[in-house]
């Protein structure tokens, strides 16, 4: 169906520009007039036709989507019509991409499509969790509750991501600074010392000094051909690793590494468990069937290993098993999680139990991040001090040898007299 960009004047005299789909310009014009708009301009978006993809591509930041969803839920809860909500959201959106997406969704809703169907055109913005909750709210007539739960979920997810990012920022900065300092010393300072040593006649160096000399020669000699080659090599390695991560085998390898890596593996596991519990609990609270909810959760945990375990559990549930047993057999879900899920399933309060599990692991993540941050700071200082100390000792050892040889030579001259 062709996509058109149109400019209309509403009943209050306000000029509004939107994007929508219709069979042709005449049908769109008649539809707009029936809604009380005065059409001033309609033009077809180039490259759009029957079967064409949505004109808006790309994703939206999670923080923007969280605020968007909170505003949406507040207006729907206040009794504002869906079309009016979308119109207000379009005006208030700070992201140009989100503004255009909202305009297209509004046009879809005005054309008679459901909100969930309109949003499903943008899977990179509205994931399966978002669509599933909106659809459940539409079917159950409780869209405002679904949007409130979704906004709460997104806010929790944003907060969790922010804490992890903040905890990792400091070590990353210190590590980058340490590497730059070491490379700067080896590239610009050490060559001057080695030149001085050569002028003084030093031919043999201690092992530490020889290691630094080889490193310095490797980084400085053959300028700029070698440096360009090193840069291209690093780029190709990073590119190859990135491409490998996009393959099925590579993604599985990286996700296993995320769970098994020392220190950070446990943190990633706890983050994944918190997201699993929060997502599944939110879906079940909104009335989404368990099988559909499990499928949605498998796509949102962001880990292939956990996703496969969830899908295996879903297959067992479909055959009549309880939720806790297949999760326990996977070995990826701690006994506490399995027991809480089993108790919730038996008592009919699974959604509440999952919420408690999510809150527990979110607190565990907070505690782990605080401990990690407190431990990393001294470790980074020791690492940086060790690198600089190694360089200083390695450079002083030849100087001590030179001083000793000069002192020895002076004594011999004195004795000869």
């Amino acid at each position: 169906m062709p996509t058109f960009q149109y400019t209309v004047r509403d009943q209050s005299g306000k000029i509004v520009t939107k994007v929508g789909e219709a069979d042709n310009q005449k049908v769109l014009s008649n539809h707009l007039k029936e809604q009380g708009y005065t059409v001033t301009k309609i033009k077809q978006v180039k490259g759009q036709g029957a079967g064409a993809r949505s004109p808006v591509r790309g994703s939206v930041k999670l923080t923007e989507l969280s605020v968007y969803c909170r505003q949406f839920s507040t207006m729907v809860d206040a009794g504002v019509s869906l079309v009016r909500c979308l119109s207000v959201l379009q005006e208030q959106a700070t992201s140009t991409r989100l503004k255009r997406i909202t305009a297209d969704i509004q046009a879809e809703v005005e054309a008679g499509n459901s909100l969930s169907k309109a949003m499903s055109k943008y899977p990179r913005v509205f994931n399966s969790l978002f669509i599933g909750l909106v659809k459940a709210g539409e079917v159950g007539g409780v869209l405002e509750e679904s949007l409130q739960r979704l906004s709460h979920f997104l806010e929790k997810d944003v907060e969790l991501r922010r804490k992890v990012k903040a905890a990792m920022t400091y070590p990353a900065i210190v590590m980058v600074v340490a590497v730059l300092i070491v490379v700067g010393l080896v590239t610009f300072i050490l060559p001057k010392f080695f030149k001085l040593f050569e002028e003084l006649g030093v031919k043999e160096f201690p092992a530490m000094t020889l290691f630094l000399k080889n490193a310095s020669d490797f980084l400085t000699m053959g300028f700029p051909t070698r440096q360009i080659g090193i840069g291209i090599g690093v780029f190709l390695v990073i590119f190859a690793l990135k491409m490998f991560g996009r393959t099925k085998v590579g993604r599985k390898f990286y996700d296993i590494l995320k769970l098994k890596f020392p220190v950070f593996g446990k943190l990633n596991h706890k983050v994944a468990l918190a997201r699993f519990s929060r997502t599944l609990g939110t879906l079940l609270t909104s009335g989404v069937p368990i099988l559909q909810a499990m499928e949605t959760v498998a796509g949102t945990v962001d880990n292939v290993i956990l996703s496969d375990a969830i899908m295996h559990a879903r297959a067992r549930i479909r055959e009549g098993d309880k939720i806790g047993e297949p999760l326990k057999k996977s070995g990826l879900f701690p006994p506490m999680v399995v027991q809480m899920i089993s108790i919730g399933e038996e008592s009919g309060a699974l959604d509440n139990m999952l919420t408690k599990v999510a809150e527990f692991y979110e607190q565990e993540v907070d505690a782990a991040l605080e401990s990690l941050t407190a431990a990393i700071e001294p470790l980074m200082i020791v690492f940086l001090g060790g690198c600089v100390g190694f360089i200083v000792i390695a450079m002083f050892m030849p100087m001590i040898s030179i001083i000793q040889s000069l002192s020895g030579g002076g004594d011999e001259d004195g004795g000869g007299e």
Side-chain angles (χ1 to χ4, degrees):
M1 185 177 292
T3 301
F4 299 93
Q5 184 178 25
Y6 56 89
T7 303
V8 297
R9 182 183 291 107
D10 60 17
Q11 295 178 353
S12 63
K14 185 178 180 180
I15 301 296
V16 180
T17 301
K18 300 180 180 180
V19 177
E21 293 183 348
D23 293 331
N24 51 56
Q25 291 188 11
K26 187 176 181 180
V27 172
L28 179 60
S29 178
N30 291 335
H31 177 69
L32 293 171
K33 289 178 181 178
E34 290 175 358
Q35 293 183 336
Y37 293 112
T38 301
V39 181
T40 58
K41 183 180 179 181
I42 297 179
K43 69 174 182 178
Q44 184 174 350
V45 179
K46 293 183 179 180
Q48 300 295 327
R53 294 183 65 183
S54 170
V56 184
R57 297 180 182 180
S59 58
V60 175
K61 292 182 179 179
L62 192 61
T63 51
E64 295 176 351
L65 195 61
S66 175
V67 174
Y68 179 90
C69 190
R70 174 59 68 183
Q71 293 172 340
F72 202 172
S73 64
T74 301
M75 286 189 289
V76 173
D77 189 44
V80 181
S81 66
L82 191 57
V83 174
R84 177 59 181 164
C85 288
L86 292 168
S87 178
V88 173
L89 288 172
Q90 180 191 352
E91 295 174 2
Q92 294 183 350
T94 56
S95 168
T96 304
R97 183 178 290 117
L98 190 56
K99 189 184 291 289
R100 293 178 61 193
I101 289 173
T102 305
D104 186 50
I105 292 174
Q106 182 182 353
E108 290 280 335
V109 172
E110 289 176 344
N113 292 324
S114 64
L115 179 62
S116 57
K117 183 178 180 181
M119 287 181 168
S120 64
K121 292 175 57 179
Y122 304 96
R124 294 189 62 184
V125 178
F126 306 107
N127 58 19
S128 55
L129 169 66
F130 206 112
I131 302 301
L133 285 176
V134 171
K135 189 173 182 180
E138 289 176 329
V139 173
V142 287
L143 181 60
E144 67 281 359
E145 293 182 9
S146 294
L147 288 171
Q148 286 173 0
R149 294 190 187 102
L150 184 58
S151 61
H152 179 69
F153 171 84
L154 291 175
E155 288 164 359
K156 286 286 186 180
D157 197 25
V158 168
E159 183 181 0
L160 185 62
R161 291 171 185 266
R162 179 186 58 78
K163 290 178 179 178
V164 174
K165 185 177 180 180
M168 297 297 104
T169 300
Y170 176 78
I173 292 175
V174 173
M175 183 63 69
V176 170
V177 171
V179 171
L180 291 177
I181 290 174
V182 172
V183 172
L185 289 173
V186 173
T187 305
F188 300 105
I189 306 299
L190 296 189
K192 297 180 180 179
F193 278 91
F194 290 124
K195 186 177 180 180
L196 176 62
F197 294 152
E198 290 177 2
E199 293 175 353
L200 293 174
V202 179
K203 296 181 179 179
E204 294 185 0
F205 295 100
M208 293 174 62
T209 310
L210 186 61
F211 172 80
L212 285 179
K213 187 177 186 303
N214 292 333
S216 178
D217 291 342
F218 179 78
L219 292 175
T220 57
M221 293 180 65
F223 182 84
T225 305
R226 177 177 290 184
Q227 286 71 18
I228 294 174
I230 293 173
I232 293 175
V234 172
F235 172 79
L236 290 177
V237 169
I238 295 174
F239 180 77
L241 291 174
K242 190 173 182 180
M243 291 297 101
F244 176 67
R246 292 183 179 180
T247 64
K248 187 175 181 180
V249 176
R251 178 69 187 275
K252 190 171 184 178
F253 174 78
Y254 284 154
D255 286 343
I256 291 175
L257 191 63
K258 286 180 183 179
L259 297 176
K260 300 296 183 181
F261 200 80
V263 182
F264 294 98
K266 291 183 178 180
L267 178 62
N268 286 323
H269 195 191
K270 290 177 180 178
V271 171
L273 290 173
R275 184 169 291 131
F276 161 80
S277 304
R278 178 72 64 183
T279 306
L280 185 57
T282 302
L283 287 167
L284 294 178
T285 303
S286 299
V288 179
I290 182 64
L291 293 178
Q292 182 182 341
M294 294 286 283
E295 184 177 3
T296 300
V297 171
T300 57
V301 292
D302 196 28
N303 189 290
V304 173
I305 308 303
L306 281 171
S307 179
D308 290 344
I310 294 169
M311 290 303 293
H312 176 72
R314 178 182 180 275
R316 301 302 303 171
I317 293 169
R318 187 170 54 186
E319 295 178 4
D321 288 355
K322 293 184 177 181
I323 302 174
E325 288 300 320
L327 294 179
K328 181 179 179 181
K329 291 179 181 178
S330 69
L332 296 172
F333 295 86
M336 189 274 288
V337 177
V338 175
Q339 291 171 6
M340 293 283 281
I341 289 176
S342 300
I343 293 172
E345 191 175 14
E346 293 175 1
S347 62
L350 180 57
D351 51 349
N352 292 331
M353 285 296 182
L354 286 167
T355 301
K356 293 183 183 297
V357 172
E359 292 174 350
F360 171 80
Y361 275 102
E362 285 167 0
Q363 293 174 359
E364 286 284 297
V365 170
D366 290 344
L369 289 174
E370 290 178 2
S371 301
L372 187 62
T373 304
I376 283 178
E377 184 173 353
L379 288 175
M380 291 291 100
I381 294 174
V382 170
F383 171 77
L384 181 57
C387 291
V388 176
F390 179 86
I391 293 174
V392 170
I393 294 173
M395 298 312 297
F396 265 97
M397 290 175 70
M399 296 178 68
I400 293 172
S401 300
I402 293 171
I403 294 172
Q404 288 177 345
S405 64
L406 292 175
S407 300
D411 293 339
E412 291 176 1
D413 292 341
E417 292 178 358

